[in-house]
């Protein structure tokens, strides 16, 4: 997914990547304000103060609600959309 955001890390330490923030569009090539932890599937920007998981990142980057971002991301990655089925009364 980081490829979809065109995230180019400027530093790597184990499972931690750092680089310019794709959300507030850091201009500096050497910027390291955006951090991604690949083991935890989590991100944080120390400048714009946003953090979350992969889906939160995609929702913010594409300016969508979480559900819409999920559907969009699944389609872009050629995955089945995990449609939620309403529980019907009397059925389990």
């Amino acid at each position: 997914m980081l490829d979809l955001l065109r995230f180019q890390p400027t530093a790597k330490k184990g499972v931690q990547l750092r680089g310019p923030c794709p959300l507030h569009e850091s201009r500096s090539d050497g910027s390291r304000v955006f951090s991604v932890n690949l083991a935890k599937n989590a991100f944080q920007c120390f400048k714009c103060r946003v953090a979350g998981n992969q889906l939160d990142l995609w929702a913010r980057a594409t300016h969508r609600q979480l559900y819409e971002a999920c559907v969009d991301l699944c389609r872009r990655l050629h995955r089945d959309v995990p449609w939620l089925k309403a529980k019907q009364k009397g059925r389990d």
Side-chain angles (χ1 to χ4, degrees):
M1 184 178 68
L2 292 173
D3 293 339
L4 291 175
L5 292 173
R6 295 183 181 97
F7 174 68
Q8 297 295 320
T10 58
K12 181 179 181 182
K13 186 175 182 181
V15 295
Q16 198 77 25
L17 304 176
R18 305 263 326 235
C21 179
L23 299 176
H24 74 262
E25 299 177 3
S26 300
R27 300 284 184 234
S28 171
D29 290 338
S31 176
R32 294 174 42 177
V33 298
F34 187 76
S35 178
V36 176
N37 185 306
L38 299 173
K40 294 180 181 179
N41 294 318
F43 77 95
Q44 180 174 2
C45 178
F46 299 102
K47 187 169 183 176
C48 59
R49 307 264 186 234
V50 296
N53 62 28
Q54 294 171 327
L55 190 53
D56 295 323
L57 177 59
W58 188 251
R60 285 190 174 270
T62 59
H63 308 288
R64 291 186 161 101
Q65 295 295 321
L66 207 53
Y67 181 78
E68 294 168 344
C70 177
V71 171
D72 179 57
L73 190 57
C74 287
R75 288 182 176 155
R76 286 177 184 263
L77 297 174
H78 307 288
R79 306 269 195 239
D80 291 333
V81 177
W83 298 108
L84 298 177
K85 296 181 181 179
K87 199 173 191 180
Q88 294 179 358
K89 240 181 182 176
R91 289 186 169 180
D92 289 330

